[in-house]
Amino acid sequence: MLSPMREPDDDRELMLRYAKGDALAFEQLYNRHKGPLFRYLARHTGNGANAEDVFQETWIKVIRARERYRPVAKFSTWLYQIAHNCFIDYVRRQGRNALEAAGTTEPDALDAPNPGPGRAAELSETAAKIAAALAALPGEQREAFLLREEGGFSLQEIGSITGVGRETVKSRLRYALGRLRVALEDADDRQA
Amino acid sequence: MTDKPDKSLEEYLDGGSSVSRGYAELGRTGPPAALDRTILSAAREAVAREEDATVIRVRRWRKWSVSAALAATVVVAVPLVVRVVDLRIDEPPERYATADTRDAGAPAEVQPDAGLVDATQLPAGFAPPPESPAAVTAPDEFAKRLAAQEMRADEDARLRAESVGEAEPDAATTRPMRPASVKPEPNAAAEAQRLARRELSDAGELSDPAAPAAPALADADMATDLFEFTDKAAMNARVARVVADDTASEQAVSGAGARGDYLAPQRFLERISGLYPDDPLAAKRELGEFLLMYPDADLPEGFPLARADAVYPQRRIVQAADAWLRDIAGLAYEGRIDAARQQLARFFERYPDYELPGWFPLTPDDAAPIER
């Protein structure tokens, strides 16, 4: 089920109020966006601890950028752009160390997050299949799918966040859906 | 081949995909509470630091605000004080005294207030009516200078009378159409009248038909000319404004209240009579004002004051001389140098010791000798 993130009209107003020193406005804004953003990062990184680091870094950047914030676009688009950039930085930092240890320089090696056996056991079979299939998706396809599911962004907005064109986003989503659908059909077949 | 995937994508984007329903089963986890606290705390601290920085900036300004306020006060006050001092220096010392004819033999007392001068201290050109006894009462420089001027003027008049053998024409007049009739020496009242006349001339109101009737004239002036009468009639209409102009500066001194309103001569005298028992000095000042407005008016019988009791405003005299100089300067600026020089000579005849102001375009040496 699609859970599009609502973009209330006062998101930008809340950010502007926070920029003027209203800490309560930030609290409202944070509570409104923290869940979807955290899930996006957690399921993108496949690692809760790493997700928390990126999540915290994202909000710290929002806090520091409060005086430079200009309400020219949706606040959520701006927020997820920051999160995307933080994730890229995180991948580069972790990838350099991890890849150096593994003797490879391919950042795609980190594209396959492992949900972990304990976590998978807590989920239903369908959810476990989805989680496994999501983890197996290439990072770009997974990110496009997560932005759509968690952020409720349009193709254009996903392209804006990830820095690619609309057709590229469309292609990534199409491949992601195909793989996830196959995983779900396998689960349905097993249940049947 | 691509139709099917596009259709499924559209279905997904419309929210009807089984993939979305399957993804929802993953749950709606959120960040741990500790992380929430960390981030919210960081947000509050950032704002607090900013407010602290603002407070520090404000405090820094407040630290300098007292100094800045003092500096601003000095910057404003010093020029103001200098200006006031300059103004006071420019004004002649004003000391007032009355010469009470009923106590002519006793030394006149110096009045403590300022703004008016005793009729007996006026220079010859501004001598009040002749019944005024000579009683120099202000022992200051200005009074001495005025007394010296008076003596010199008296001496000059005596010499002129001896040499010419007849009364001098009115030296103050600048109108050629005016007949050289026998006139008393110009006095302060006449000078104020001349000032008012000049204003009338400037305003084009010399022949104002709506002007009130002229007051009764003394015999001497009745013998002058019709122009003079018309002039005075117009002046009466205008003099209320002249007085009103001076009221602001002199009201504090005279305490006469709403003197700027025009008062008919009879009513003016009645008011002076009413004022005299309670405040004799104010009544004398009012009489001075009255005589400046109506120099030829006869005081009615039973009036509690005599002409010699009048206390004249010194400022009017200075204004008269200053106005004359401005007229002369106007002639010079118009290129009528000869007329200006002749007028200057007449001016010095009237005010021998008058120091020409800095703005005046001519020097005392430019005064042309007056041909008699």
Side-chain angles (χ1 to χ4, degrees), chain B residues 270-289:
Chain B
E270 287 173 3
R271 194 176 81 172
I272 295 170
S273 297
L275 188 62
Y276 177 74
D278 296 330
D279 192 348
L281 179 59
K284 290 172 183 176
R285 290 173 185 158
E286 289 293 292
L287 180 60
E289 292 285 347

Side-chain angles (χ1 to χ4, degrees), chain A residues 1-3 18-19 21 23 26-27 30 34 38-39 43 52 55-56 59-60 63 66-67 119 123-124 126-127 130-131 145-146 148-150 170 174 177 180-181 184, chain B residues 2 5-6 8-15 17-32 35-40 42-44 46-47 50-51:
Chain A
M1 180 176 144
L2 185 66
S3 58
Y18 175 60
F26 179 85
E27 196 169 335
Y30 177 78
K34 66 176 183 179
F38 183 78
R39 288 191 292 275
R43 289 166 186 167
E52 288 178 14
F55 180 80
Q56 182 172 343
W59 283 107
I60 294 299
I63 291 168
R66 64 189 181 281
E67 291 179 349
R119 172 70 177 151
L123 301 174
S124 67
T126 303
I130 285 284
F145 176 78
L146 289 172
R148 175 64 191 173
E149 287 295 327
E150 294 296 344
K170 203 172 175 180
R174 193 184 299 125
L177 286 174
L180 293 171
R181 190 172 291 116
L184 283 174
Chain B
T2 57
D6 278 349
S8 66
L9 179 62
E10 287 174 8
E11 185 182 300
Y12 167 73
L13 293 175
D14 289 341
S17 170
S18 58
V19 176
S20 292
R21 288 192 295 273
Y23 177 80
E25 291 187 20
L26 285 175
R28 303 180 67 80
T29 57
L35 188 57
D36 288 347
R37 285 194 296 272
T38 302
I39 292 170
L40 291 175
R44 282 191 291 267
V47 172
E50 188 174 306
E51 287 177 353

Side-chain angles (χ1 to χ4, degrees), chain B residues 10 61 68 138 145 215 221 224 228 262 265 281 287 303 331 356:
Chain B
E10 287 174 8
W61 162 243
R145 191 159 65 85
D221 274 352
T224 54
E228 177 75 6
Y262 174 76
L281 179 59
L287 180 60
F303 193 73
L331 290 173
L356 295 178

Side-chain angles (χ1 to χ4, degrees), chain B residues 95 103-104 111 121-122 150 155 159 261 269 294 309 367:
Chain B
R95 189 70 61 96
D103 298 323
Q111 298 299 326
Q121 296 178 33
L122 297 175
E150 185 179 9
E155 184 64 20
L159 291 174
D261 298 331
L269 291 174
Y294 310 109
D309 296 325

Side-chain angles (χ1 to χ4, degrees), chain A residues 163-185:
Chain A
V164 295
R166 185 176 181 277
E167 289 303 315
T168 304
V169 173
K170 203 172 175 180
S171 173
R172 289 175 179 175
L173 268 180
R174 193 184 299 125
Y175 281 109
L177 286 174
R179 293 189 181 188
L180 293 171
R181 190 172 291 116
V182 168
L184 283 174
E185 285 171 357

